[in-house]
Amino acid sequence: MNKPEAKPEKFDLASMDVAQEKRDELKRRLGEAFPEVFAEGAIDFDQLKRVLGEWVDPGKERFGLNWPGKAECMKIIQQPSVATLKPMRGESVDFDTTENLFIEGDNLEVLKLLQKAYFGKVKVVYIDPPYNTGKEFIYPDKYQESLDTYLLYTGQIDGEGKRFATNTDAGGRFHTRWLNMMFPRLYLARNLLAEDGVMFISIDDNEQANLKALCDIVFGEECFIADAVWRSKDNSNNDAKKFSLDHNHTLIYAKSAEWLPVRISDEKKQTHFKNPDNDPNGPYFDGNPLNSPNFRENLVYTLTSPQGIKIEPPKNGWRWSPEVMQEKIESGEIRFTPDGTGIRRRTYLKDMGGLPPSTLWIDLEQTGHNRQAKYELVKLIPEDVFDTPKPVKLLKYILRLATAESGAIVLDFFSGSATTAHAVMDLNIDEGRDLKYIMVQLPEPCEKGSDADKAGYKTIADIARERIRRAGRSIATQRDAALNLEGSARVDTGFRSFKLTSSNFKVWNGELEDVEKVGDQIEMHVDHVSAAATAEDVLFELLLKAGFPLTTKVNAINLSGKDVFSIEDGALLICLEKEITPELIDALADANPLQVICLDEGFKGNDQLKANAVQTFRARAEAEESEIVFKTV
């Protein structure tokens, strides 16, 4: 009997291949302009340098940030993940309707898993990473073993002999460990940013310089926007031996160098805009410069006031040509002084769209302070459960600067106590926004005997989830009270909770050389879906790895007596039935989807049925002049 030639595609259970995606993007962008730098599908970088007229001696020293492990970081970035995110309905709020996410797990692995579904879709990233103060931080030394280390950390595998890295300042790799931890995470997070996206990173002086140099590598120096200094304390330490440290830094980097912050309305900074003569255009300022920043001969000319007084130009000349200057005089933007000896440029507040934000965040009413942040958390959770929260005011200020849009996604992958989630909900109700959040937090254990431990919180992730629940309830109560329950606009105060874990599928290991182990693996893959996996577990793994967000709406439908999941109004159909029939194949084809995913074991080893399925989908696609992608997993 001849083997059928038609076969379905195999569904890829790995996260996005970041390196391949970058190569494809480079080829798309360079291919037309520099076709000669591509040979057999690969990039000849030496040839690219020659085309650009540059030669770099491989042994020549170069300026830049280098540290032990930097090259290894790129290998870690390019290693796809075969983990999954398990839905946890019992820990969620409004699971079926919310568009917010809380993910418990190592953020390196989680960021890899988010690549396909959220690539280029996140508008704002805020993170408050470990400050590397000389204390231990719990991210692993062997960070390339991210998933195994996470599973060990959460007690899901036996980790005898394994340990987490300590990072005391007495260690010889104090800065190295921190940079090795940060580099892959920043790199992957930048991938998730939209073209008009921006990242804000809180940091103190211990790693500020290294972090800026690292971000220059990840984003490019041209995408550095600002280093904002935030006044983090409301009173100074009078017992300090040197200086009272009252600030933190916030490094701001954008995906594009063209990014601009949202201009702000700040009454304290607008006091110099006045309207003493009742100008119908409103408040104005008369003090803006009129001189050209650089000398140009055509800008050197004399003005004559209505009183006939000659007004000589500044040293470099006026800012505008005679023609433009006359237009501005006629429009009223440029006015002569009452005595006719000078001119003033009238700049109206209404034309500025607000003022550019300052890099000094020192107004405590506007951006809050650390003590206030503690009060906010204690008000929600009376026990003292978290030492270093950020104030909600600070995060709301950052979100205002970052986007004026509704529906934007905000990501915080060092979630801590989830201040960012709290701020998103608060801003949504304050300003009628509809921002969505994704929080990621490692289940860092609460210290034994601590107030958090005594209060029953096992991990920081537990604290974060509880904060979101309580903040959500408080915000919903405020909303309902203000709107008297009639016609109230819905504020999403829920979240879908997920936990990082191993794939629901037994992933093939192609590196095995032991014949017996290969045999065991073949036997294991006869039924390669984990016995502990629920249909919902498998569904969300396939959704995410097919490139659909974790908040995608899913409908359960019945086709030919079998349960099928319909995604995006039937664009994708996922069938997890373990017995596939010809009638089911026909029904799936009749639904005219763009893509169908079935369990391989559903065909019970019947290659003929599988080949017939391929032919059925192909025939239907040809009849509809479309394409149906059929995959098995």
Side-chain angles (χ1 to χ4, degrees):
M1 182 176 177
N2 293 329
K3 274 191 171 181
E5 293 183 2
K7 293 182 179 180
E9 293 183 33
K10 291 299 292 181
F11 185 85
D12 187 0
L13 287 169
S15 63
M16 189 174 77
D17 188 333
V18 175
Q20 184 60 50
E21 190 71 20
K22 292 291 184 183
R23 288 194 294 271
D24 292 344
E25 182 181 359
L26 192 59
K27 189 170 183 178
R28 284 194 298 270
R29 297 193 180 194
L30 292 180
E32 291 185 10
F34 305 107
E36 63 272 38
V37 307
F38 293 94
E40 298 181 348
I43 304 165
D44 185 337
F45 289 100
D46 287 341
Q47 180 65 11
L48 177 60
K49 291 173 184 175
R50 295 186 193 104
V51 170
L52 298 176
E54 178 186 354
W55 175 256
V56 179
D57 183 348
K60 187 176 180 180
E61 293 182 353
R62 300 182 182 90
F63 175 81
L65 177 66
N66 286 294
W67 70 91
K70 179 180 178 182
E72 185 70 19
C73 283
M74 291 307 301
K75 294 181 183 179
I76 304 311
I77 290 167
Q78 294 165 9
Q79 179 64 48
S81 173
V82 290
T84 188
L85 299 177
K86 179 182 176 65
M88 308 297 291
R89 281 184 173 268
E91 296 179 350
S92 306
V93 175
D94 299 332
F95 187 95
D96 291 320
T97 57
T98 185
E99 294 186 75
N100 299 318
L101 298 174
F102 184 92
I103 303 171
E104 178 183 307
D106 171 37
N107 51 19
L108 176 60
E109 201 79 9
V110 172
L111 286 169
K112 288 183 179 183
L113 290 172
L114 296 180
Q115 294 293 304
K116 282 183 182 178
Y118 293 91
F119 192 91
K121 294 181 180 178
V122 173
K123 188 65 180 288
V124 188
V125 175
Y126 170 79
I127 55 171
D128 185 17
Y131 280 6
N132 207 13
T133 57
K135 299 178 181 178
E136 296 183 8
F137 62 94
I138 50 91
Y139 292 89
D141 192 16
K142 293 184 177 181
Y143 53 93
Q144 67 270 27
E145 298 175 0
S146 174
L147 179 60
D148 285 344
T149 308
Y150 169 79
L151 295 175
L152 163 66
Y153 190 81
T154 54
Q156 298 178 56
I157 61 173
D158 180 14
E160 186 177 353
K162 301 218 177 185
R163 65 180 180 83
F164 290 101
T166 58
N167 203 47
T168 62
D169 51 10
R173 299 178 64 237
F174 178 64
H175 295 292
T176 293
R177 285 191 178 121
W178 192 85
L179 288 168
N180 283 337
M181 184 271 293
M182 288 296 294
F183 186 18
R185 290 165 172 84
L186 290 176
Y187 189 101
L188 292 167
R190 182 190 177 277
N191 285 347
L192 300 180
L193 278 178
E195 286 304 309
D196 59 349
V198 62
M199 181 181 291
F200 295 76
I201 311 173
S202 289
I203 199 68
D204 70 356
D205 289 327
N206 287 294
E207 293 291 357
Q208 184 274 345
N210 286 332
L211 179 60
K212 185 177 186 309
L214 179 59
C215 286
D216 284 344
I217 294 172
V218 173
F219 288 86
E221 293 181 16
E222 70 280 3
C223 290
F224 169 67
I225 303 299
D227 177 1
V229 176
W230 170 54
R231 182 183 172 189
S232 56
K233 294 183 180 179
D234 60 335
N235 56 1
S236 295
N237 177 12
N238 294 326
D239 295 326
K241 291 182 171 57
K242 294 181 180 178
F243 284 83
S244 176
L245 296 177
D246 300 336
H247 76 281
N248 281 162
H249 299 268
T250 304
L251 292 182
I252 307 170
Y253 279 81
K255 185 73 169 285
S256 166
E258 305 304 313
W259 181 86
L260 294 173
V262 176
R263 289 183 166 241
I264 59 174
S265 178
D266 187 344
E267 292 182 2
K268 293 180 181 179
K269 294 183 178 180
Q270 296 173 5
T271 54
H272 58 297
F273 285 87
K274 302 182 183 299
N275 192 5
D277 54 359
N278 294 318
D279 189 317
N281 289 311
Y284 59 86
F285 175 60
D286 267 345
N288 287 317
L290 301 165
N291 59 296
S292 172
N294 301 303
F295 176 80
R296 287 172 58 188
E297 190 171 347
N298 68 316
L299 299 180
V300 179
Y301 55 89
T302 301
L303 290 174
T304 302
S305 69
Q307 292 89 334
I309 300 173
K310 302 292 183 182
I311 304 174
E312 297 301 323
K315 181 179 178 181
N316 287 342
W318 300 109
R319 185 174 286 269
W320 307 279
S321 66
E323 295 78 17
V324 174
M325 178 69 85
Q326 185 58 37
E327 290 176 3
K328 291 181 178 294
I329 291 172
E330 292 174 1
S331 71
E333 180 180 342
I334 299 295
R335 301 186 181 218
F336 291 94
T337 57
D339 61 7
T341 61
I343 61 172
R344 295 278 187 181
R345 180 187 178 191
R346 184 164 288 193
T347 302
Y348 293 100
L349 180 61
K350 70 178 183 64
D351 295 332
M352 297 186 66
L355 299 173
S358 170
T359 55
L360 289 176
W361 298 354
I362 56 177
D363 185 344
L364 298 178
E365 290 300 314
Q366 189 174 62
T367 55
H369 51 82
N370 284 335
R371 194 149 58 96
Q372 183 183 69
K374 290 282 283 187
Y375 291 155
E376 289 169 348
L377 186 53
V378 168
K379 185 177 180 180
L380 289 171
I381 305 176
E383 300 84 1
D384 189 5
V385 296
F386 192 78
D387 290 335
T388 57
K390 286 292 185 287
V392 172
K393 281 185 178 179
L394 173 65
L395 269 298
K396 289 173 70 174
Y397 182 74
I398 285 173
L399 294 174
R400 289 190 182 102
L401 296 182
T403 179
E405 301 174 13
S406 286
I409 297 175
V410 179
L411 168 65
D412 182 347
F413 54 91
F414 285 100
S415 166
S417 68
T419 302
T420 303
H422 189 166
V424 165
M425 293 186 292
D426 225 28
L427 195 63
N428 283 344
I429 193 170
D430 282 354
E431 301 181 5
R433 306 275 197 97
D434 189 25
L435 302 179
K436 326 290 185 186
Y437 65 74
I438 302 174
M439 300 291 106
V440 184
Q441 176 58 40
L442 193 73
E444 179 181 352
C446 296
E447 186 177 346
K448 293 294 183 183
S450 66
D451 289 338
D453 179 52
K454 292 175 183 177
Y457 296 101
K458 295 180 179 179
T459 69
I460 300 300
D462 291 336
I463 294 171
R465 277 187 292 262
E466 185 60 21
R467 177 183 188 160
I468 298 174
R469 293 186 194 103
R470 297 190 185 193
R473 288 196 293 268
S474 175
I475 289 168
T477 299
Q478 294 172 30
R479 173 201 65 199
D480 294 341
L483 299 176
N484 296 320
L485 297 175
E486 294 184 8
S488 61
R490 180 180 180 273
V491 175
D492 187 353
T493 56
F495 64 93
R496 286 187 174 187
S497 183
F498 291 84
K499 286 188 180 180
L500 179 70
T501 188
S502 298
S503 173
N504 295 295
F505 299 90
K506 303 178 182 75
V507 181
W508 181 266
N509 183 358
E511 298 181 358
L512 291 176
E513 296 181 0
D514 188 304
V515 175
E516 289 187 10
K517 289 184 178 179
V518 172
D520 291 342
Q521 194 169 195
I522 292 173
E523 184 176 339
M524 178 180 70
H525 277 75
V526 172
D527 180 3
H528 71 306
V529 180
S530 169
T534 67
E536 190 167 62
D537 294 342
V538 175
L539 170 65
F540 275 101
E541 177 167 3
L542 296 179
L543 266 183
L544 188 60
K545 291 177 178 178
F548 288 86
L550 289 166
T551 54
T552 301
K553 298 296 184 291
V554 178
N555 293 317
I557 60 176
N558 188 282
L559 294 178
S560 189
K562 303 288 186 180
D563 292 329
V564 175
F565 295 104
S566 172
I567 293 93
E568 294 290 348
D569 296 323
L572 168 64
L573 297 178
I574 296 178
C575 179
L576 303 180
E577 291 284 348
K578 296 191 176 183
E579 185 174 350
I580 294 173
T581 64
E583 293 77 19
L584 175 59
I585 295 298
D586 289 338
L588 289 168
D590 288 342
N592 197 29
L594 297 176
Q595 186 175 175
V596 175
I597 300 174
C598 295
L599 293 180
D600 195 61
E601 67 177 281
F603 290 91
K604 305 294 185 185
N606 188 339
D607 288 343
Q608 185 61 53
L609 178 60
K610 195 180 294 184
N612 289 342
V614 173
Q615 296 295 354
T616 299
F617 289 124
R618 185 177 297 165
R620 178 53 55 93
E622 290 174 356
E624 299 289 338
E625 295 185 349
S626 62
E627 181 180 357
I628 301 177
V629 178
F630 174 42
K631 296 182 179 181
T632 59
V633 61

